[in-house]
Amino acid sequence: EAGVTQFPSHSVIEKGQTVTLRCDPISGHDNLYWYRRVMGKEIKFLLHFVKESKQDESGMPNNRFLAERTGGTYSTLKVQPAELEDSGVYFCASDAASGPYNEQFFGPGTRLTVL
Amino acid sequence: QKEVEQDPGPLSVPEGAIVSLNCTYSNSAFQYFMWYRQYSRKGPELLMYTYSSGNKEDGRFTAQVDKSSKYISLFIRDSQPSDSATYLCAMGGKLVFGQGTRLTINP
C-alpha cells in the first residue's frame, strides 16, 4: 500500500511568487493534516481536514495560505504571495479516524525555499 | 513558553549504550504521547505511543509517561548505528511536537 506522497519534494521561488504544494493521503484516510517546520523550530500544526471539510485551521499563519481538499481525496496548500519567512519543510499526514487513537502517517515533506 | 520542551542535542553515544531521551510539557489535557523517529530528508515515522501514564515496551525501546510531573521519556537499549536519527516527542490529537533530539550512535 502506498504511503502519503507529497509533491514537489523541493521548491525554490522568489518572494512574491505563488507556490502550490500537493499531498496525496493514504487511500481511505478521512483525516488529513498539514504541518510545517521552519529552520531551527519544532514541527507545528497548520490545519486538519475531515474528508473535504476544514475541521481546524487554527495553525494557519495568515490569509496568504489557502488549503483545499477536493472531494476528500488529495489536498493542496497554496501560498500567495510567498514571503521569506514561509521557507521551511511542509509535511502532510493522514489517518483513518477509526478509533480513539489513530496513527498519523507522514509524507516525506516539501522543502520550500523563498528567496 | 513552549507547550513541549525537548533538548535538541545533538547527542552522540557509542554503539551498545543505553540512550535516554526526554520531553516535558505544560498542557495537562494531553492524553496520548508519541515518539517519532525521523531520518534525514524523510517524514516522521511513529515509533511508539502511550496512553496516559505508565510504561510501554517494544523490543529495545521503552516509553515512559509521568503525568504528575508532565515528563515523558524514551529509552533505547543496546543502541545500534541504525538508530541514528532525530527523535521527536509529540502529544495530543493535532500533534504538538518537541523540537527533536538528533541522536548519533557511533560504531
Side-chain angles (χ1 to χ4, degrees), chain A residues 91-106:
Chain A
F91 292 103
C92 174
S94 71
D95 73 48
S98 58
Y101 172 75
N102 300 284
E103 178 183 350
Q104 290 186 29
F105 294 86
F106 281 77

Side-chain angles (χ1 to χ4, degrees), chain A residues 23 25 29-34 45-57 60 66-78 92-97, chain B residues 94:
Chain A
C23 168
H29 280 191
D30 287 342
N31 284 334
L32 187 150
Y33 308 82
W34 284 98
F45 168 84
L46 295 178
L47 88 157
H48 169 206
F49 283 100
V50 178
K51 297 185 179 178
E52 67 275 8
S53 300
K54 291 177 188 173
Q55 182 77 12
D56 181 349
E57 51 184 329
M60 294 288 263
L66 175 65
E68 295 179 324
R69 189 176 182 192
T70 305
T73 55
Y74 71 91
S75 175
T76 57
L77 181 64
K78 180 190 288 188
C92 174
S94 71
D95 73 48
Chain B
K94 59 179 187 185

Side-chain angles (χ1 to χ4, degrees), chain A residues 35 37 40 56 58 104 107 111, chain B residues 41 43 49 93-95 99:
Chain A
Y35 295 87
R37 182 170 194 159
D56 181 349
S58 60
Q104 290 186 29
R111 185 173 299 269
Chain B
R41 304 288 173 168
Y49 80 93
K94 59 179 187 185
L95 298 175
Q99 196 170 346

Side-chain angles (χ1 to χ4, degrees), chain B residues 36-91:
Chain B
Y36 281 83
R37 179 173 60 194
Q38 186 178 17
Y39 293 111
S40 182
R41 304 288 173 168
K42 302 284 187 182
E45 172 190 31
L46 182 71
L47 260 180
M48 301 177 70
Y49 80 93
T50 308
Y51 174 71
S52 194
S53 282
N55 295 357
K56 189 172 186 177
E57 189 172 319
D58 183 2
R60 297 184 295 109
F61 298 87
T62 299
Q64 289 185 351
V65 174
D66 181 348
K67 290 194 74 178
S68 63
S69 302
K70 297 192 179 69
Y71 187 88
I72 71 170
S73 301
L74 177 71
F75 298 95
I76 307 174
R77 293 184 300 280
D78 187 26
S79 55
Q80 304 294 310
S82 58
D83 295 329
S84 299
T86 296
Y87 289 79
L88 305 130
C89 62
M91 306 171 195

